[in-house]
Amino acid sequence: MKGVVLTIIFLILTFSGCVEQIELDAPTQGDQIVIFGGINSVGISEQIEIYRTSTIQNRVFPIVGATVSVKDDFGSEARMFGDAEGVYKFGSRRVTLIPGREYFIDIVFLNGDRYQSRPQKLPTARAVERVSGEFKETETINDRGVVITDRVLELSGTTGVINPNDDDFFFRWEVQETYVLRPTDFPDPFSAIPPPFYFTSFINPQRITIFDGEGIRLDTLGSKVLGVRDLDYSFLDRHFFTTISHSITKEAYNFWNQVDVLTNATGSIFDLPPARVVGNMYNVNDPDEIVLGFFEVANSTISRFFTVVSDSPFPVPESGCDYDMSDPFLVYPPYCLECLPEDGCSTNRPPFFNG
Amino acid sequence: MKVNAHFLGLFITLFFSTTLFAQKYTVTGTVVDEKGNPVDGAFLQITPGNYATVCEPNGKFEIELEENEYEVVITHINFQPISRRLKVNSDMTRTYRITSKAIQLEEVVITDVNERRNVESVSVGLVKLNAKDIENIPTFLGETDVIKSITLLPGVNTIGEGAAGFNVRGGRIDQNLVLYDGVQLFNSSHILGFFSIFNPELMKDFELYKGSVPAQYGGRASSVLSVTNKSGNQDGIDFTGSIGTISTKLTVDGPITDRLTFSTGVRFTYSDWILQQVNDLDIQNSSAGFYDFNARLDYLLNESNKVSVSYFRSLDEFQFAEDFGFDWSNEFLRVGWVSNLSNTITSQFSASISEYKSTLFDFELAKSSQVDNGVDKWQVNQNFLIELDKHEINTGIEIINNNSKTETQVPIGDSSIEPDIAPKDQGREYALYVDDVFKVSPKLTLSAGLRYTLYHNLGPAEVYQYEDQPVNSPIIDTIRYADQEVIKTYTGLSPRFSAKYNLGKNNSVKASFNRLYQFIHLISNTAAPTPVDIWQVSNTYIEPIVSNNYSFGFFQNFDNNNWELSFEVFYKELDNLVEYRDFADLLVNRNIETELLRAEGRNQGFEVFVKRRAKKWTGWLSYTYSTAEVRIIEDAINGEVTVNNGEWFRANYDQPHNFRLVSDLKLGKRGSLGTSLVFNSGRPITGIEGNYTLGALNTPNFSDRNKVRIPNYFRVDISVTAGSLFRKLDDKLVFSIYNLFGRRNAYSVFFQKPENQDLQRPFQLSVLGSAFPSISYTFKLGKP
């Protein structure tokens, strides 16, 4: 009898639900136009990316040579000019953004295809952010039940709402970091010191932080987490965090909310069924064509915050860039050696580093 | 009584018999009950000529009649009278089957349980089974279960283990009218759908109407499942107990006095210990439990009147780690009164009140909250069953009041969630119906019915007025309605028709048409229904579902009814289905109509069913082809918001190919081997067609709705039953293995980024990842 019981218990122990990656018989679709970008009142990251998707993973076909114009409902317009990557930016002249006016983008491809966005009214409401950071240890449990401890800087923000017309408001936040790195100073006959590298990029690009203020009349929004940054060598010197608070349209909020639903699905049975996110772009000649992406018009503000090494209660890891004559050249990390613009690196000192 | 009956029979026979000079023949025969047992003391009156006789204790009778055509009326104090034609032109033998009045007093119309029912019944797509029929079907964790059993029948599906509800012939789960002792249920599942709330030890039988639905049933657009519990037996106290891997059951029934019987049962689970064995911290920190309790009293006022009182309560508690949890409960009290007003008219009255409650707990830090919803319901029904020579008429009135509870959200602990409410609607249905089963000739039977429903959406309520359609249109006004004030009225006239024609002795063809109205909708935007889905009555913006159901079938029995064969074709068209715009937000939403789209549907398919009925081996094999499609109605939304460009698309529970094999093989005198095999096509989901980037954000590009199918479902279960382990007990030990081959069937497919990858990939969630054995022991103490 004991043997039977043990056998049964053994069999029961084999019970488990499981999650595993599978392949579905779903043909990959390519050849869809993606138009994404926006304009904002602070002029940060004002650009439009235009490309065509492909059936090959991570491969896209940039659309070059298009005529891109941003227009408003008063007839003003400003051109954007593209590069070989299909990224279009304003030239010397950009459109002036005035709250309450409507703006849209008009794009004409070389083959004559014409795309426009539905007009977006620049909101009158604005968010003014007060940002703070806290160094802390966070714990996560991996699939095997092992507790993983990370040391991070958690950025939080309290938002003051400026809402002159008492409108519904919708906010989106992005956080950009800028830090300085001393490259490896190899010996040279002139004892020249290489200029510092300034790295700028958005932190947590997969994170979407938005707020729906429909029907809410508040002067201040409570504290919320805007981003989390792992503690590493970038904190050895001054490390700036620039929070860009975008006041966006309801349509833009819905777009980001839907993208958030898709990118943060947990796989539970309670997840909303996924669907294609349809933005505000359309083909003027063929309205049935599905155009991916969104053209955002935001009334934005920025706030800046920085830390220095002494702020961290934890030891800050070394960068590995200090010269050691015993180390061969190849052991130095690439970021110690070369400043590549595509990595967000520049040797130009940002103005906010002065002072 | 026997002596009296014999004496009476002898007296009547002597009194009425006359000596004639015509040629006489001897007619012998037997009168049996519905189970084939002989009936002692049945009285046969034969006209013309006023002949009569009384059956012997062995049910036999013998009488001499001259050549002629007669009408034989058979009566008995405990049985329903029947009338049969008899043409006498030689010596002959006849067997007459009569039906117990006790069954008639169960307040539910019982279709004659015999092996020829599939050929003789006028209903298309009617399945009637009792507890005995399903007890040897292999089950999950050894729990015999009504709903799991019916999903082994043709035309009935579920999307997988752990999914609440069932789909009938392409219908949604909320389109099934589920009745428990005549009371409508809103959630008949335990542990998110692994089991149903019907205690198998108390169940007498159940009927599932897949095709033709009699006019006394209404309010749902697809099918009717009616589960009836046993009343207490009159012969002595019976105890039944069952101890299984996951639950224990105890039932007791018997007489209190000569006229009063009781029946009660409780079932509770102890499933947490299983969760502790799973090699996953989250599941180890989870809990799942339930109980259900039934009690019933039956009081025989006199030979013609019987009253009954039933009470039921069930409670489920489920918590997944420290993430979320659910509670849900059902409770009802029902009073029934059955009265035989005359030999041909029976009155059946019932009144019930019920409550369904559900709660969602979200324990996410800073957002932890509790959301409550539910339905209060009351229901009154007065039915008259009129049994004439060739007619069986059901007519009556039914009033159903559904009052959806206000949906509330309250914060838990230090949550930053603001309390919120979303008031819900009240709806009341008044239905008048009549239904007649007319035996036109021995070959032809017709059933025709009509149900008229007047529906009121009642206040108190605030109804938002929109500039245009609620979707994508601003609110321009709000109209407030007082308590019980009529907000919106709908009416529905539902014709029901079915016909059966016997082509020969052992085969028949049947056809049916039903129009069904549904005034309550399950608002659920997840792949599988969850306990917090909202029951929404029809209102200004949500019109009642209307379905037209067509069925046609051919039925054939072979080998002295040991084999049954049927082929049924069905087509269903539905209007006013509720569909959801992409990313619909349904939780605590005061303007839920802004998230809903009006749709139409069409379901079609056929079923092939072969059944073997023999002492040694019983089982069936079935194949169903069934499709369920939906299309958003363009004019309801001005074309601005639609799904799949307004084209037809498959419903998310559509599983075209379904194959079932069920077998019960007797092993010796006390054992049996049960086997079942299930195959379903994978159901549709919305899949990823590619990926694109928004700046640095990788974003999946999803397909049109429900364009991709998840892998097919396949499962084999076995069970071995050993009976009579102990001499003085009516007992059995059941060992079963669910999912014998340990196949990882997809319950759901979702998309996530694999570790260290940027792009989302499909993942399959299998609720049961391996073979799952269980053992249960059931015993019965009491009369043999």
mmCIF file of all heavy atoms in Angstrom, chain A residues 14-18 20 22-23 28-29 32 51 57 206 262 267 269-270 273, chain B residues 324 326 525 530 689 693 696 701 747 753 759-762 764 766 768-770 772:
data_model
loop_
_atom_site.group_PDB
_atom_site.id
_atom_site.type_symbol
_atom_site.label_atom_id
_atom_site.label_comp_id
_atom_site.label_asym_id
_atom_site.label_seq_id
_atom_site.Cartn_x
_atom_site.Cartn_y
_atom_site.Cartn_z
ATOM 1 N N THR A 14 4.349 15.288 -10.851
ATOM 2 C CA THR A 14 4.649 15.624 -12.247
ATOM 3 C C THR A 14 3.682 16.655 -12.783
ATOM 4 O O THR A 14 3.865 17.186 -13.868
ATOM 5 C CB THR A 14 4.564 14.387 -13.145
ATOM 6 O OG1 THR A 14 3.228 13.890 -13.126
ATOM 7 C CG2 THR A 14 5.511 13.307 -12.676
ATOM 8 N N PHE A 15 2.635 16.938 -12.010
ATOM 9 C CA PHE A 15 1.638 17.910 -12.470
ATOM 10 C C PHE A 15 2.218 19.315 -12.477
ATOM 11 O O PHE A 15 2.773 19.772 -11.505
ATOM 12 C CB PHE A 15 0.430 17.871 -11.541
ATOM 13 C CG PHE A 15 -0.468 19.066 -11.675
ATOM 14 C CD1 PHE A 15 -1.153 19.297 -12.838
ATOM 15 C CD2 PHE A 15 -0.595 19.947 -10.621
ATOM 16 C CE1 PHE A 15 -1.985 20.391 -12.948
ATOM 17 C CE2 PHE A 15 -1.419 21.044 -10.733
ATOM 18 C CZ PHE A 15 -2.115 21.259 -11.899
ATOM 19 N N SER A 16 2.112 19.939 -13.555
ATOM 20 C CA SER A 16 2.442 21.364 -13.578
ATOM 21 C C SER A 16 1.919 21.948 -14.865
ATOM 22 O O SER A 16 1.939 21.318 -15.906
ATOM 23 C CB SER A 16 3.949 21.578 -13.496
ATOM 24 O OG SER A 16 4.573 21.097 -14.653
ATOM 25 N N GLY A 17 1.439 23.152 -14.760
ATOM 26 C CA GLY A 17 1.146 23.890 -15.967
ATOM 27 C C GLY A 17 2.474 24.337 -16.538
ATOM 28 O O GLY A 17 3.493 24.352 -15.851
ATOM 29 N N CYS A 18 2.532 24.685 -17.771
ATOM 30 C CA CYS A 18 3.817 25.108 -18.306
ATOM 31 C C CYS A 18 3.611 26.122 -19.417
ATOM 32 O O CYS A 18 2.574 26.162 -20.062
ATOM 33 C CB CYS A 18 4.613 23.921 -18.799
ATOM 34 S SG CYS A 18 3.830 23.010 -20.093
ATOM 35 N N GLU A 20 5.666 27.576 -22.766
ATOM 36 C CA GLU A 20 6.790 27.304 -23.653
ATOM 37 C C GLU A 20 6.605 28.068 -24.951
ATOM 38 O O GLU A 20 5.476 28.320 -25.392
ATOM 39 C CB GLU A 20 6.912 25.796 -23.931
ATOM 40 C CG GLU A 20 5.665 25.174 -24.513
ATOM 41 C CD GLU A 20 5.734 23.652 -24.504
ATOM 42 O OE1 GLU A 20 6.846 23.114 -24.516
ATOM 43 O OE2 GLU A 20 4.662 23.021 -24.483
ATOM 44 N N ILE A 22 6.458 28.652 -28.804
ATOM 45 C CA ILE A 22 6.024 27.817 -29.925
ATOM 46 C C ILE A 22 6.148 28.626 -31.218
ATOM 47 O O ILE A 22 6.441 29.817 -31.193
ATOM 48 C CB ILE A 22 4.560 27.332 -29.753
ATOM 49 C CG1 ILE A 22 3.613 28.541 -29.654
ATOM 50 C CG2 ILE A 22 4.426 26.434 -28.554
ATOM 51 C CD1 ILE A 22 2.148 28.165 -29.743
ATOM 52 N N GLU A 23 5.927 27.954 -32.303
ATOM 53 C CA GLU A 23 5.849 28.628 -33.589
ATOM 54 C C GLU A 23 4.417 28.507 -34.102
ATOM 55 O O GLU A 23 3.820 27.434 -34.030
ATOM 56 C CB GLU A 23 6.816 27.996 -34.598
ATOM 57 C CG GLU A 23 8.281 28.249 -34.259
ATOM 58 C CD GLU A 23 8.634 29.738 -34.203
ATOM 59 O OE1 GLU A 23 8.093 30.507 -35.016
ATOM 60 O OE2 GLU A 23 9.441 30.122 -33.329
ATOM 61 N N THR A 28 4.460 35.989 -42.147
ATOM 62 C CA THR A 28 4.978 37.314 -41.812
ATOM 63 C C THR A 28 4.592 38.307 -42.897
ATOM 64 O O THR A 28 4.695 38.023 -44.078
ATOM 65 C CB THR A 28 6.510 37.252 -41.700
ATOM 66 O OG1 THR A 28 6.849 36.234 -40.765
ATOM 67 C CG2 THR A 28 7.068 38.573 -41.221
ATOM 68 N N GLN A 29 4.109 39.434 -42.443
ATOM 69 C CA GLN A 29 3.717 40.478 -43.382
ATOM 70 C C GLN A 29 4.799 41.547 -43.440
ATOM 71 O O GLN A 29 5.339 41.955 -42.420
ATOM 72 C CB GLN A 29 2.408 41.131 -42.928
ATOM 73 C CG GLN A 29 1.206 40.204 -42.958
ATOM 74 C CD GLN A 29 0.752 39.892 -44.367
ATOM 75 O OE1 GLN A 29 0.781 40.754 -45.234
ATOM 76 N NE2 GLN A 29 0.367 38.653 -44.606
ATOM 77 N N GLN A 32 4.846 47.219 -45.202
ATOM 78 C CA GLN A 32 3.907 48.190 -44.628
ATOM 79 C C GLN A 32 4.663 49.462 -44.261
ATOM 80 O O GLN A 32 5.782 49.412 -43.748
ATOM 81 C CB GLN A 32 3.225 47.603 -43.388
ATOM 82 C CG GLN A 32 2.172 46.554 -43.742
ATOM 83 C CD GLN A 32 1.529 45.963 -42.509
ATOM 84 O OE1 GLN A 32 2.209 45.470 -41.632
ATOM 85 N NE2 GLN A 32 0.211 45.997 -42.474
ATOM 86 N N TYR A 51 9.787 54.460 -42.951
ATOM 87 C CA TYR A 51 10.377 53.259 -43.536
ATOM 88 C C TYR A 51 9.287 52.263 -43.905
ATOM 89 O O TYR A 51 8.118 52.408 -43.528
ATOM 90 C CB TYR A 51 11.412 52.630 -42.598
ATOM 91 C CG TYR A 51 10.901 52.172 -41.255
ATOM 92 C CD1 TYR A 51 10.433 50.874 -41.074
ATOM 93 C CD2 TYR A 51 10.899 53.027 -40.150
ATOM 94 C CE1 TYR A 51 9.988 50.437 -39.838
ATOM 95 C CE2 TYR A 51 10.446 52.602 -38.920
ATOM 96 C CZ TYR A 51 9.993 51.304 -38.762
ATOM 97 O OH TYR A 51 9.539 50.891 -37.539
ATOM 98 N N GLN A 57 13.426 39.719 -40.195
ATOM 99 C CA GLN A 57 13.462 40.280 -38.858
ATOM 100 C C GLN A 57 14.542 41.361 -38.749
ATOM 101 O O GLN A 57 15.660 41.193 -39.234
ATOM 102 C CB GLN A 57 13.743 39.150 -37.867
ATOM 103 C CG GLN A 57 13.498 39.542 -36.426
ATOM 104 C CD GLN A 57 13.509 38.322 -35.523
ATOM 105 O OE1 GLN A 57 12.817 37.354 -35.764
ATOM 106 N NE2 GLN A 57 14.334 38.369 -34.496
ATOM 107 N N GLN A 206 11.806 50.962 -23.575
ATOM 108 C CA GLN A 206 10.640 50.085 -23.696
ATOM 109 C C GLN A 206 9.543 50.440 -22.684
ATOM 110 O O GLN A 206 8.496 49.795 -22.644
ATOM 111 C CB GLN A 206 11.044 48.612 -23.487
ATOM 112 C CG GLN A 206 12.160 48.128 -24.404
ATOM 113 C CD GLN A 206 11.783 48.219 -25.872
ATOM 114 O OE1 GLN A 206 10.679 47.852 -26.251
ATOM 115 N NE2 GLN A 206 12.683 48.728 -26.701
ATOM 116 N N LEU A 262 0.246 46.141 -25.509
ATOM 117 C CA LEU A 262 0.881 45.089 -26.308
ATOM 118 C C LEU A 262 2.274 44.739 -25.797
ATOM 119 O O LEU A 262 2.652 43.576 -25.751
ATOM 120 C CB LEU A 262 0.987 45.522 -27.768
ATOM 121 C CG LEU A 262 -0.311 45.720 -28.519
ATOM 122 C CD1 LEU A 262 -0.017 46.048 -29.975
ATOM 123 C CD2 LEU A 262 -1.186 44.479 -28.439
ATOM 124 N N GLY A 267 0.685 37.611 -20.419
ATOM 125 C CA GLY A 267 0.364 36.262 -20.838
ATOM 126 C C GLY A 267 -0.698 35.599 -19.988
ATOM 127 O O GLY A 267 -0.990 34.429 -20.161
ATOM 128 N N ILE A 269 -4.567 34.868 -18.575
ATOM 129 C CA ILE A 269 -5.836 34.763 -19.299
ATOM 130 C C ILE A 269 -6.633 36.045 -19.183
ATOM 131 O O ILE A 269 -7.638 36.213 -19.844
ATOM 132 C CB ILE A 269 -6.692 33.585 -18.802
ATOM 133 C CG1 ILE A 269 -7.051 33.759 -17.333
ATOM 134 C CG2 ILE A 269 -5.978 32.280 -19.030
ATOM 135 C CD1 ILE A 269 -8.067 32.756 -16.843
ATOM 136 N N PHE A 270 -6.165 36.959 -18.335
ATOM 137 C CA PHE A 270 -6.900 38.201 -18.153
ATOM 138 C C PHE A 270 -6.370 39.322 -19.032
ATOM 139 O O PHE A 270 -6.881 40.435 -19.000
ATOM 140 C CB PHE A 270 -6.862 38.612 -16.683
ATOM 141 C CG PHE A 270 -7.188 37.464 -15.781
ATOM 142 C CD1 PHE A 270 -6.228 36.883 -14.986
ATOM 143 C CD2 PHE A 270 -8.450 36.927 -15.774
ATOM 144 C CE1 PHE A 270 -6.525 35.809 -14.181
ATOM 145 C CE2 PHE A 270 -8.764 35.845 -14.972
ATOM 146 C CZ PHE A 270 -7.797 35.284 -14.172
ATOM 147 N N PRO A 273 -7.254 40.935 -25.292
ATOM 148 C CA PRO A 273 -6.806 40.373 -26.570
ATOM 149 C C PRO A 273 -6.032 41.427 -27.356
ATOM 150 O O PRO A 273 -6.433 42.586 -27.418
ATOM 151 C CB PRO A 273 -8.125 40.029 -27.274
ATOM 152 C CG PRO A 273 -9.116 39.899 -26.185
ATOM 153 C CD PRO A 273 -8.693 40.873 -25.130
ATOM 154 N N PHE B 324 -3.162 38.485 -7.882
ATOM 155 C CA PHE B 324 -4.590 38.762 -7.987
ATOM 156 C C PHE B 324 -5.384 37.598 -7.401
ATOM 157 O O PHE B 324 -4.833 36.517 -7.151
ATOM 158 C CB PHE B 324 -5.000 38.989 -9.454
ATOM 159 C CG PHE B 324 -4.783 37.800 -10.343
ATOM 160 C CD1 PHE B 324 -5.745 36.814 -10.458
ATOM 161 C CD2 PHE B 324 -3.615 37.674 -11.058
ATOM 162 C CE1 PHE B 324 -5.543 35.714 -11.280
ATOM 163 C CE2 PHE B 324 -3.400 36.572 -11.875
ATOM 164 C CZ PHE B 324 -4.360 35.603 -11.982
ATOM 165 N N PHE B 326 -9.725 35.910 -6.995
ATOM 166 C CA PHE B 326 -11.150 35.979 -7.291
ATOM 167 C C PHE B 326 -11.937 35.295 -6.188
ATOM 168 O O PHE B 326 -11.499 34.295 -5.641
ATOM 169 C CB PHE B 326 -11.487 35.200 -8.570
ATOM 170 C CG PHE B 326 -10.930 35.769 -9.822
ATOM 171 C CD1 PHE B 326 -10.085 35.023 -10.616
ATOM 172 C CD2 PHE B 326 -11.257 37.036 -10.221
ATOM 173 C CE1 PHE B 326 -9.577 35.524 -11.781
ATOM 174 C CE2 PHE B 326 -10.757 37.555 -11.385
ATOM 175 C CZ PHE B 326 -9.917 36.800 -12.179
ATOM 176 N N ASN B 525 -14.091 40.418 -22.492
ATOM 177 C CA ASN B 525 -13.201 40.666 -23.612
ATOM 178 C C ASN B 525 -11.939 39.824 -23.537
ATOM 179 O O ASN B 525 -10.980 40.060 -24.243
ATOM 180 C CB ASN B 525 -12.815 42.149 -23.643
ATOM 181 C CG ASN B 525 -12.221 42.534 -24.978
ATOM 182 O OD1 ASN B 525 -12.477 41.889 -25.975
ATOM 183 N ND2 ASN B 525 -11.423 43.574 -24.987
ATOM 184 N N THR B 530 -13.935 34.963 -17.273
ATOM 185 C CA THR B 530 -13.426 35.013 -15.906
ATOM 186 C C THR B 530 -14.572 35.360 -14.973
ATOM 187 O O THR B 530 -15.599 35.884 -15.406
ATOM 188 C CB THR B 530 -12.333 36.091 -15.764
ATOM 189 O OG1 THR B 530 -12.947 37.366 -15.953
ATOM 190 C CG2 THR B 530 -11.242 35.909 -16.795
ATOM 191 N N GLU B 689 2.154 39.523 -37.056
ATOM 192 C CA GLU B 689 2.567 39.386 -38.452
ATOM 193 C C GLU B 689 3.955 39.959 -38.690
ATOM 194 O O GLU B 689 4.551 39.730 -39.738
ATOM 195 C CB GLU B 689 1.574 40.105 -39.365
ATOM 196 C CG GLU B 689 0.232 39.417 -39.443
ATOM 197 C CD GLU B 689 -0.692 40.097 -40.434
ATOM 198 O OE1 GLU B 689 -0.550 41.318 -40.653
ATOM 199 O OE2 GLU B 689 -1.564 39.410 -40.978
ATOM 200 N N THR B 693 9.535 49.415 -35.205
ATOM 201 C CA THR B 693 10.010 50.210 -34.085
ATOM 202 C C THR B 693 9.398 51.595 -34.116
ATOM 203 O O THR B 693 9.180 52.183 -35.171
ATOM 204 C CB THR B 693 11.547 50.344 -34.106
ATOM 205 O OG1 THR B 693 11.926 50.952 -35.341
ATOM 206 C CG2 THR B 693 12.224 48.998 -33.964
ATOM 207 N N ALA B 696 12.975 53.841 -30.286
ATOM 208 C CA ALA B 696 13.706 52.664 -29.814
ATOM 209 C C ALA B 696 12.765 51.581 -29.304
ATOM 210 O O ALA B 696 13.217 50.560 -28.789
ATOM 211 C CB ALA B 696 14.655 53.085 -28.699
ATOM 212 N N ASN B 701 3.385 44.026 -34.648
ATOM 213 C CA ASN B 701 2.306 44.370 -35.574
ATOM 214 C C ASN B 701 1.355 43.176 -35.643
ATOM 215 O O ASN B 701 1.696 42.134 -36.206
ATOM 216 C CB ASN B 701 2.875 44.683 -36.957
ATOM 217 C CG ASN B 701 1.789 45.080 -37.941
ATOM 218 O OD1 ASN B 701 0.742 45.584 -37.545
ATOM 219 N ND2 ASN B 701 2.029 44.832 -39.214
ATOM 220 N N TYR B 747 -3.759 26.112 -23.759
ATOM 221 C CA TYR B 747 -4.968 26.738 -23.218
ATOM 222 C C TYR B 747 -5.095 28.135 -23.817
ATOM 223 O O TYR B 747 -6.160 28.557 -24.212
ATOM 224 C CB TYR B 747 -4.853 26.819 -21.703
ATOM 225 C CG TYR B 747 -5.960 27.601 -21.062
ATOM 226 C CD1 TYR B 747 -7.200 27.013 -20.851
ATOM 227 C CD2 TYR B 747 -5.780 28.918 -20.675
ATOM 228 C CE1 TYR B 747 -8.219 27.724 -20.272
ATOM 229 C CE2 TYR B 747 -6.795 29.632 -20.092
ATOM 230 C CZ TYR B 747 -8.012 29.030 -19.893
ATOM 231 O OH TYR B 747 -9.034 29.750 -19.317
ATOM 232 N N LYS B 753 8.375 38.903 -24.962
ATOM 233 C CA LYS B 753 9.771 38.899 -25.398
ATOM 234 C C LYS B 753 10.516 37.808 -24.649
ATOM 235 O O LYS B 753 10.552 37.835 -23.411
ATOM 236 C CB LYS B 753 10.409 40.259 -25.115
ATOM 237 C CG LYS B 753 9.856 41.371 -25.973
ATOM 238 C CD LYS B 753 10.398 42.707 -25.550
ATOM 239 C CE LYS B 753 9.706 43.806 -26.340
ATOM 240 N NZ LYS B 753 9.945 45.140 -25.806
ATOM 241 N N LEU B 759 12.240 41.107 -29.604
ATOM 242 C CA LEU B 759 10.968 40.949 -30.294
ATOM 243 C C LEU B 759 10.082 39.934 -29.596
ATOM 244 O O LEU B 759 10.557 38.930 -29.057
ATOM 245 C CB LEU B 759 11.212 40.503 -31.750
ATOM 246 C CG LEU B 759 12.110 41.427 -32.571
ATOM 247 C CD1 LEU B 759 12.277 40.878 -33.980
ATOM 248 C CD2 LEU B 759 11.511 42.833 -32.622
ATOM 249 N N GLN B 760 8.796 40.205 -29.631
ATOM 250 C CA GLN B 760 7.847 39.292 -29.000
ATOM 251 C C GLN B 760 7.697 38.019 -29.823
ATOM 252 O O GLN B 760 7.691 38.066 -31.063
ATOM 253 C CB GLN B 760 6.489 39.975 -28.850
ATOM 254 C CG GLN B 760 6.495 41.099 -27.823
ATOM 255 C CD GLN B 760 5.105 41.609 -27.530
ATOM 256 O OE1 GLN B 760 4.171 41.330 -28.251
ATOM 257 N NE2 GLN B 760 4.965 42.383 -26.474
ATOM 258 N N ARG B 761 7.558 36.910 -29.131
ATOM 259 C CA ARG B 761 7.363 35.618 -29.772
ATOM 260 C C ARG B 761 6.138 34.945 -29.146
ATOM 261 O O ARG B 761 5.767 35.249 -28.005
ATOM 262 C CB ARG B 761 8.582 34.706 -29.581
ATOM 263 C CG ARG B 761 9.895 35.301 -30.038
ATOM 264 C CD ARG B 761 9.930 35.477 -31.530
ATOM 265 N NE ARG B 761 9.633 34.227 -32.214
ATOM 266 C CZ ARG B 761 9.170 34.137 -33.458
ATOM 267 N NH1 ARG B 761 8.928 35.252 -34.146
ATOM 268 N NH2 ARG B 761 8.951 32.979 -34.017
ATOM 269 N N PRO B 762 5.519 34.012 -29.869
ATOM 270 C CA PRO B 762 4.353 33.332 -29.280
ATOM 271 C C PRO B 762 4.755 32.316 -28.208
ATOM 272 O O PRO B 762 5.718 31.570 -28.396
ATOM 273 C CB PRO B 762 3.712 32.631 -30.487
ATOM 274 C CG PRO B 762 4.793 32.514 -31.502
ATOM 275 C CD PRO B 762 5.752 33.630 -31.263
ATOM 276 N N GLN B 764 2.972 29.426 -25.468
ATOM 277 C CA GLN B 764 1.773 28.630 -25.213
ATOM 278 C C GLN B 764 1.671 28.360 -23.721
ATOM 279 O O GLN B 764 2.642 27.944 -23.094
ATOM 280 C CB GLN B 764 1.907 27.319 -25.992
ATOM 281 C CG GLN B 764 1.061 26.184 -25.504
ATOM 282 C CD GLN B 764 1.309 24.933 -26.309
ATOM 283 O OE1 GLN B 764 1.109 24.909 -27.513
ATOM 284 N NE2 GLN B 764 1.746 23.876 -25.648
ATOM 285 N N SER B 766 0.035 25.948 -21.157
ATOM 286 C CA SER B 766 -0.670 24.674 -20.978
ATOM 287 C C SER B 766 -1.063 24.582 -19.516
ATOM 288 O O SER B 766 -0.206 24.631 -18.640
ATOM 289 C CB SER B 766 0.228 23.498 -21.335
ATOM 290 O OG SER B 766 0.735 23.644 -22.626
ATOM 291 N N LEU B 768 -2.488 22.009 -18.016
ATOM 292 C CA LEU B 768 -2.005 20.708 -17.545
ATOM 293 C C LEU B 768 -0.837 20.300 -18.437
ATOM 294 O O LEU B 768 -1.024 20.077 -19.619
ATOM 295 C CB LEU B 768 -3.109 19.657 -17.613
ATOM 296 C CG LEU B 768 -4.324 19.916 -16.736
ATOM 297 C CD1 LEU B 768 -5.339 18.814 -16.914
ATOM 298 C CD2 LEU B 768 -3.913 20.027 -15.282
ATOM 299 N N GLY B 769 0.322 20.236 -17.841
ATOM 300 C CA GLY B 769 1.504 19.956 -18.645
ATOM 301 C C GLY B 769 1.881 18.498 -18.700
ATOM 302 O O GLY B 769 2.879 18.141 -19.316
ATOM 303 N N SER B 770 1.121 17.643 -18.047
ATOM 304 C CA SER B 770 1.504 16.236 -18.033
ATOM 305 C C SER B 770 0.282 15.378 -17.738
ATOM 306 O O SER B 770 -0.811 15.898 -17.534
ATOM 307 C CB SER B 770 2.572 16.007 -16.958
ATOM 308 O OG SER B 770 2.031 16.329 -15.706
ATOM 309 N N PHE B 772 -2.209 13.335 -15.555
ATOM 310 C CA PHE B 772 -2.621 13.668 -14.208
ATOM 311 C C PHE B 772 -3.471 12.555 -13.610
ATOM 312 O O PHE B 772 -4.624 12.376 -13.966
ATOM 313 C CB PHE B 772 -3.386 14.989 -14.208
ATOM 314 C CG PHE B 772 -3.468 15.565 -12.846
ATOM 315 C CD1 PHE B 772 -2.340 16.112 -12.249
ATOM 316 C CD2 PHE B 772 -4.638 15.534 -12.125
ATOM 317 C CE1 PHE B 772 -2.399 16.623 -10.983
ATOM 318 C CE2 PHE B 772 -4.690 16.045 -10.856
ATOM 319 C CZ PHE B 772 -3.573 16.593 -10.282
#
